[in-house]
Structure formats: structure tokens, C-alpha cells
Amino acid sequence: MSTLFNLPDETPAPPAGDRRSSVADLNAIIKRARDIMRKDSGLNGDIERIPQFSWLLFLKALDAQEEDREDFGTGPFRPLIEAPYRWRDWASCKEKQRRTGDSLTQFVNTELLPYLARRSGSPELDVIGTIFKEVQNRMRSGYLLRSVVDAIEGIDFHAQDEVYTMAHVYESMLQELRDAAGDSGEFYTPRPVVRFMVRMTAPKPNETVLDPACGTGGFLVETFEYLRKQYGKELSADAAAEIDANLRGIEKKSLPYLLATMNLLLHGISRPNLTLDNTLRHPIASHRHQRVDVVLTNPPFGGEEESSVPKNFPTDKRTTDTAWLFLQVIMERLTEGGRCAVVVPNNILFEGGVGTKVRKAILDNFNLHTIVRLPNGVFAPYTLIPSNVLFFDRTGPTKAIWFYEVPLPEKRRNFTKTKPMNDVHLAELEAWWGGPERSGRVTTPHAWRVPVKELNDEVDLDLQNPHQKDELAHRDPSELIADLIESEQELLTLLQQLQREFDGGQQ
């Protein structure tokens, strides 16, 4: 049975052989649909094709769930979507009843999408209405749209194994969307980093978990997977249902909101607790009334908000840099004993002015127990800005900070798009971590401890590993040049890909 709005029982992954076959079949369907969309003049690149595919996929999946509810549910059945707006009515109906060409585009644009945008009155209906308030059909050809719909018909959302497989195929599509988005690609955080942050904060089933800039929902999906794996057999039906409400995300852009909703639904989060909103537009004091146990996030790097947003923050901590604003929100959102893991750019560790004041506020009011310094290229080629993960909790002021510098693999100068970071690169760090209590930590060539009293007046946290020489200063110039060439080649490859997408869209 489908799982979109009812929490599924623990379902084992299909055997590897079956999964490979199913993945191949689903990839073939997706490729066929995307090849068809490439022919439509209204769609330019995957940045538009993947969202178009996603809302169609959502309607197909939802209709399968509705059929299961009608056939196997208890009590009176009330459809979330009524005829003639159900997928079965206009998409998978008999040949004589199928719309195509101008008839199909007119129906979708003037009847179907406005109807869906008006749905409200229950949590499920609110999800549908919120998604479709922002959805547009960008396909101009009703004949090509019909072909895409027919391709999606090949996906069977009644089969749990197929839903499981589709969730993982969909994740790969989201990574492609990051690739296609270029310098707007703020939708995707590398999964090894996300999984590590989730494991080290170790959320519990009864705890509230928030991502205030959730993008496509990666942190929430990985938290859900972690909870099901760690506690699945111990959860009562009520406790399992509570998890959905406890996983909370806020996203201000309609495209990633749509993608996140679909992502969470496919992974079995039955009622995605997502809000289409700008976290930063609310007065900072208001966040104190919505505190949570855990915050997991990667807020936008270097973004700027409209001039009215900084006015929501204390006068001495106002800035248009979104990273600093999100840090202030996180501090207000954490309950007593709450904990956080947040990805930040390098300037957060040393920037003066507002930066110094925010860092002092963290150290005075929170235990900033660990700073993980990520190696070069984790987010390449989309940004080459060095990144870090801050781990802190509301358990009292910071007395000392552990730094851990994740090393690059041997003979590697940086991670790249074609050779990215994976889970094994964080295994040594996880072994050093010391479990939930962070016990038994020791100084190593990659780890060192700094008492707060040794920091300077600016609380500069951009500290060099005392066990390592300044590698940049002692490296051969030819190696530095090779690094620059490799980075430029990555960027050139991305630009050439975007150019091909653009040229294809103009044909």
C-alpha cells in the first residue's frame, strides 16, 4: 500500500538484485520523461524540468494512495482530490477520455492547478494547497505534456518496494538539480555531511527537530531514516506518528518547498511539517516561543536579505549577511539542553563587528564544544569557500572548544564534483568523537583543544592546527598552480553543461 499520508510499517529494502532492476526501470522512465521535456520550448534546463516532473509525480503518487485508502481504509472515505481532478480522471483514464494538445494544457492551467491551489481544511489538504499555490505548468505543448504523463504512468506507487526505490532515485535527481542550478544551487548539502551531523546530534523520537532553511529536506529525511533505524522496533504506533510532527522545516522559496515535500513523502514521512516562509522575517524575540530540541541546518552562505529583515534583530547585531542572522535565530530557537549542528562559511570564525558579538553570545550562553573544519572542495565547484560545522548546545557557557580538521585522502589536494566526499572520509572523525557523551577525546594530528580563556578579544576561532605546518606556505608553486587549474576545469565543465542545456532549450 502507498505511504504518502499514512506512516508505513517498517518495510525492509528489497533484495539488491530486485532493487538494481527496479532502479534501472525507474531511471529509464525518468530519462524518457526528461527527454520528452527537453523538446518543449517552455522548459529551460533541469532547473525547470525537475520541478515540472516533481509535481506531476506528486499527483500520480497521491492518487495511488487515495485508491489504497478507498479500498483498504476503515471508516468513511473522503477524497483529498475530487473528480475530475484526480490523476485517474485526466491522466490514466481510458483513451477516449484522455485530453491532449491544447485541451490538456487549458485544463491543467485553468482548471486543475487553480483547484489544487484552493485545497485546505485539514493537514493533508493544506499540504496540497500550499504546494500548488506556487506551481505553474511550464510546458507549452499539450502533446509533449501528454507524453510525459504517459511515461509517469509506468511508475507503480501501489508497490512499497517501488516507492522505496523511487525515493532514492529522487534523491539523485535533487543532486542533479544542484548541479543544474549553478550559483543558485542552495538546495543540496552533501549527504555524508548531513548523515554525520544527524548521528552526532543523535535526535530521539520524542524530540523536536528543526531545519530553518530546509531546502529540499535532506536533514529531515536523514533524521527520519536515523530514527527509524535506531528506534523503529521500539516505537509504538502513537510514537511513530509523533515523529512526523516533530520533524519541522521552514523554506522561503516555493521550488525547494515543493521538492522537499515530495522528498519527505517518498521517504515515508506521512505528514510533512513544512512551512513556506522566510525564517528571518519574524522578530527575533518571537522565536523564543517556538523552541525545539535539535537544530540541523546549512543556511545560505553569503546571502543578503531585503532591508526590512535586519530590523527584526537587536540593533548591535544587525547585518544583511544571512549566515549571521540564522545563527542568531538558532540561538533563540534552542530549548534548555537543546543542541545544534550548523554548517557555516569560514568568515563566521573570524569576522569582526557583528561577528565578534555573535560569537561572544554563543560562547557565553552555549557550549560550543566542537568545530569540525571541512576540507577543501566539499561544496565544489559551486563554492570554494572553506566550510565548517559548529556543534553547540544550551547547557551552559563554553569552557573549551575541540577543533577537528578533517584531512583529505592521501594524494588528494581537494574534493571535486567528480570525486566528492563520502562517508568513509568522516569515519576517523566519528571514531574520535566519543559517542553521545563525547568521552575519551584525545589530541591527535587532526584534533586539538583550546580553552576559551586563551582566545583573543575578538574571539577569533579561525585557528591553525598546531600539529600541522602551514602547508600552503611550504607547498611547491607548481602544486598550487595545478590546484587552480583543476578548480577552473571543474567550473568550465559546469558552465559548458549549462550552455548545452540552454542551447537545447532554445531549439
Side-chain angles (χ1 to χ4, degrees), residues 218-452:
F219 283 99
L220 301 176
V221 164
E222 291 298 339
T223 300
F224 180 78
E225 296 285 350
Y226 170 85
L227 291 171
R228 298 288 284 178
K229 183 177 181 180
Q230 293 292 116
Y231 302 98
K233 294 181 180 179
E234 306 171 14
L235 295 175
S236 65
D238 290 342
E242 185 181 14
I243 290 175
D244 287 3
N246 284 343
L247 298 181
R248 306 171 184 178
I250 305 171
E251 174 54 46
K252 75 172 185 177
K253 296 184 178 180
S254 58
L255 167 57
Y257 176 86
L258 162 65
L259 300 175
T261 301
M262 191 68 209
N263 196 16
L264 270 58
L265 290 172
L266 283 173
H267 280 85
I269 298 175
S270 59
R271 294 183 180 181
N273 192 355
L274 302 179
T275 304
L276 184 61
D277 192 12
N278 181 358
T279 298
L280 303 179
R281 76 178 183 87
H282 302 281
I284 189 70
S286 68
H287 294 283
R288 299 170 192 168
H289 306 297
Q290 305 174 67
R291 286 184 167 166
V292 297
D293 299 297
V294 180
V295 173
L296 291 159
T297 190
N298 177 11
F301 285 16
E304 291 194 358
E305 290 286 338
E306 58 189 71
S307 59
S308 62
V309 166
K311 296 177 183 178
N312 293 318
F313 294 80
T315 305
D316 63 337
K317 296 185 182 71
R318 289 179 180 175
T319 174
T320 56
D321 187 324
T322 55
W324 290 117
L325 299 179
F326 271 105
L327 273 176
Q328 294 181 63
V329 168
I330 291 168
M331 292 161 63
E332 292 294 345
R333 279 290 182 120
L334 281 182
T335 190
E336 292 297 324
R339 55 207 183 275
C340 167
V342 53
V343 180
V344 297
N346 219 42
N347 71 294
I348 295 297
L349 302 186
F350 63 82
E351 194 169 85
V354 168
T356 298
K357 294 173 182 176
V358 174
R359 284 195 301 276
K360 285 183 176 179
I362 293 176
L363 296 177
D364 289 345
N365 300 288
F366 299 83
N367 178 23
L368 177 59
H369 56 81
T370 312
I371 296 178
V372 174
R373 312 213 66 175
L374 297 174
N376 292 336
V378 171
F379 292 91
Y382 315 100
T383 177
L384 300 179
I385 298 172
S387 304
N388 310 268
V389 186
L390 307 185
F391 291 86
F392 58 88
D393 51 51
R394 190 186 282 271
T395 57
T398 306
K399 296 179 180 179
I401 305 169
W402 276 100
F403 290 79
Y404 193 102
E405 189 173 69
V406 179
L408 283 160
E410 189 176 354
K411 297 182 181 180
R412 291 281 297 279
R413 291 189 290 270
N414 54 279
F415 290 112
T416 64
K417 175 184 170 183
T418 55
K419 295 180 179 179
M421 172 182 277
N422 57 51
D423 293 288
V424 71
H425 297 130
L426 296 170
E428 184 178 329
L429 165 59
E430 188 160 351
W432 168 88
W433 192 269
E437 303 301 321
R438 305 188 299 277
S439 59
R441 290 185 171 185
V442 295
T443 299
T444 74
H446 307 298
W448 68 101
R449 182 176 181 272
V450 178
V452 167

Side-chain angles (χ1 to χ4, degrees), residues 171 174-175 178 185-192 216 298 379:
E171 280 283 337
L174 297 182
Q175 185 168 359
R178 177 200 177 196
E186 53 202 53
F187 308 139
Y188 188 88
T189 305
R191 283 302 175 268
T216 54
N298 177 11
F379 292 91

